[in-house]
């Protein structure tokens, strides 16, 4: 009896607890919409669209070579976990010129040694367009003098910026610091899970309604 009790405590109870809490997040969690109607990227690159995708959006700036650590953190902590989902992608806005296309080619080659990067996209945009595109997000962040930021943002399938309205550290949380493994691990990963669960539940509901 003692052995059976120990087995239940060690193996069964943690599994039940995990399923309970996972179910709680999936059924009751919803990631707030912070900014609506983000414009699409197709006017800059017809091969890249935010519409119908869950997008991690970033701004690399002109010093791409100094943002490699940010990209590697994002790749290892977020992309490797969620890149298998059909509608998930990472999109980086990069200013045209300054040798940035060559720098991005180098970055992609390095990322490609770590994982399949087919859902990483880099969109090259004029400086003024980088600024205006960033401003429409209406966040409390700012681009630096090189038109970049370490912060990345979650854009949903309907072109809305998602985030937190009651974050324990920031209150209103618009983006996630890609230099911080803790921010990616402890917050962004959870928020991406929530938005994926939203769409899974919506799809199940739609399928159930059709079958009635």
């Amino acid at each position: 009896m003692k052995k059976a009790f120990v087995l239940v405590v060690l193996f069964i109870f943690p599994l039940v607890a995990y399923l309970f809490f996972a179910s709680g997040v999936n059924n009751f969690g919803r990631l707030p919409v912070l900014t609506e109607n983000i414009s699409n990227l197709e006017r800059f690159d017809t091969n890249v669209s935010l519409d119908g995708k869950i997008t991690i959006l970033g701004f690399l700036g002109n010093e791409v070579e100094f943002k490699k650590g940010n990209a590697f953190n994002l790749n290892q902590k977020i992309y490797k976990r969620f890149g298998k989902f059909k509608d998930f992608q990472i999109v980086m806005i990069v200013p045209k010129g300054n040798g940035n296309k060559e720098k991005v080619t180098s970055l992609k080659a390095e990322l490609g040694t770590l994982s399949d990067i087919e859902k990483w996209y880099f969109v090259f945009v004029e400086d003024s367009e980088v600024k205006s595109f960033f401003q429409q997000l209406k966040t409390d962040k700012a681009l630096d003098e090189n038109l970049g930021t370490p912060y990345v943002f979650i854009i949903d399938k309907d072109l809305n910026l998602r985030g937190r309205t009651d974050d324990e550290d920031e209150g209103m949380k618009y983006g996630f610091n890609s230099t911080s493994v803790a921010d990616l691990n402890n917050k962004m990963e959870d928020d991406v899970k929530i938005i994926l669960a939203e769409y899974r539940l919506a799809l199940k509901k739609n399928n159930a309604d059709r079958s009635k």
Side-chain angles (χ1 to χ4, degrees), residues 80-145:
K80 276 192 171 182
R81 185 174 184 88
F82 301 110
K84 63 182 179 293
F85 288 94
K86 179 182 177 181
D87 299 327
F88 180 87
Q89 64 182 1
I90 292 182
V91 176
M92 290 289 163
I93 307 295
V94 188
K96 286 183 177 179
N98 201 42
N100 286 334
K101 285 193 175 183
E102 291 76 14
K103 295 174 185 177
V104 165
T105 297
S106 174
L107 174 59
K108 288 170 68 176
E110 293 186 46
L111 287 172
T113 65
L114 303 172
S115 62
D116 179 354
I117 59 167
E118 67 171 338
K119 293 183 181 177
W120 272 86
Y121 298 97
F122 298 83
V123 178
F124 296 92
V125 179
E126 297 290 350
D127 288 7
S128 60
E129 295 280 10
V130 174
K131 293 176 183 177
S132 63
F133 193 86
F134 181 82
Q135 287 169 357
Q136 69 162 331
L137 298 179
K138 299 178 183 177
T139 76
D140 58 355
K141 310 303 178 190
L143 296 177
D144 61 26
E145 64 274 14

Side-chain angles (χ1 to χ4, degrees), residues 29-40:
R30 180 171 172 81
L31 205 59
V33 172
L34 302 184
T35 306
E36 296 181 333
N37 301 319
I38 306 302
S39 62
N40 211 335

Side-chain angles (χ1 to χ4, degrees), residues 1-13:
M1 287 292 293
K2 286 184 178 179
K3 287 184 178 180
F5 177 75
V6 170
L7 286 173
V8 168
V9 170
L10 290 178
F11 298 103
I12 306 302
F13 178 75

